[in-house]
Amino acid sequence: MAGDAPTVFIVDDDDNVRASIEGLLKSVSLRCASFGTAEEFLRSKRPDVPSCLVLDVSLPGVSGLDFQRQLSAAGIQIPIIFVTGHGDIPMTVKAMKSGAVEFLTKPFLDHDLLDAIHQALDRDRATRRQQSDSTELRKCYEALSERERQVMGLVVSGMLNKQIAFDLGISEITVKIHRGHVMRKMHAESIAELVRMASKLELPLAKK
């Protein structure tokens, strides 16, 4: 299987449940890794690939819901599918409000689990794309000179070249040159796109 293949992690203290889920995932060519406790999962070396976590609510030591909060607090973003033998509505609501993809009660249907897993993997792929885009955008912005950043801030605030020139005490031709550099380095096709980039970067708008 390819090294960048998505991975489904399973954390459940029931050996039979883990074996059953592993068998199901292997039957549809999904890579998986299983653990009996939350601590084992945290100690494992996890590949940097799209992934999700099938998590039992009732675990030895920390509960599944508490573990969900710990992962969030630690900045570990992984879509979670809860499975439990004795779920109730308040528990389900709590898990879903905290970002769980699905909450399945044992015994669950194979296709329900697979549907939830595919949904979770799609969510993680989207999150990873957004993070990658944000990282690349930040790199482009950091490649700008200090003057180019000043010009970009004034451009996205809606100022004209002559206004920017007056504000910065430089010539209008110099502003046009810096503006061209900004557009090229940021890979922006239009001012509207540059404005969207500034918004994603959460740059403060310059006062006109």
Side-chain angles (χ1 to χ4, degrees), residues 15-192:
D15 295 343
N16 292 329
V17 171
R18 290 202 309 275
S20 176
I21 295 176
E22 286 178 11
L24 173 63
L25 297 179
K26 289 176 181 177
S27 73
V28 293
S29 300
L30 276 173
R31 182 167 63 182
C32 62
S34 65
F35 310 91
T37 66
E39 290 75 14
E40 288 177 16
F41 170 76
L42 287 177
R43 288 197 300 267
S44 69
K45 185 175 180 181
R46 299 178 296 280
D48 186 17
V49 296
S51 56
C52 67
L53 174 60
V54 178
L55 180 61
D56 186 22
V57 173
S58 301
L59 291 170
V62 63
S63 73
L65 292 173
D66 287 339
F67 188 51
Q68 180 186 33
R69 286 193 294 272
Q70 289 181 10
L71 290 174
S72 178
I76 300 176
Q77 298 182 345
I78 182 169
I80 296 175
I81 300 156
F82 279 106
V83 293
T84 181
H86 49 82
D88 54 35
I89 292 176
M91 188 184 294
T92 304
V93 170
K94 189 174 183 180
M96 301 301 282
K97 279 187 174 181
S98 297
V101 174
E102 187 58 274
F103 196 101
L104 300 174
T105 302
K106 304 173 184 176
F108 43 78
L109 298 176
D110 287 352
H111 69 79
D112 286 341
L113 178 59
L114 289 175
D115 285 348
I117 286 172
H118 286 302
Q119 181 184 344
L121 291 175
D122 286 344
R123 180 188 292 187
D124 198 44
R125 288 188 187 97
T127 299
R128 286 170 176 273
R129 279 195 298 270
Q130 291 172 357
Q131 291 173 340
S132 177
D133 291 346
S134 296
T135 299
E136 186 61 34
L137 189 59
R138 177 60 62 180
K139 286 182 180 178
C140 290
Y141 182 72
E142 290 175 351
L144 300 179
S145 68
E146 183 60 34
R147 179 64 86 188
E148 287 165 351
R149 292 180 191 178
Q150 290 176 328
V151 170
M152 177 177 170
L154 296 172
V155 167
V156 300
S157 295
M159 292 178 67
L160 302 174
N161 286 348
K162 61 182 179 181
Q163 293 173 314
I164 296 173
F166 178 80
D167 192 77
L168 297 180
I170 58 179
S171 70
E172 192 171 340
I173 291 177
T174 302
V175 171
K176 289 181 180 178
I177 292 173
H178 286 313
R179 185 167 173 163
H181 289 168
V182 169
M183 298 295 284
R184 177 177 55 81
K185 290 182 179 180
M186 295 300 295
H187 305 289
E189 298 293 332
S190 66
I191 296 301

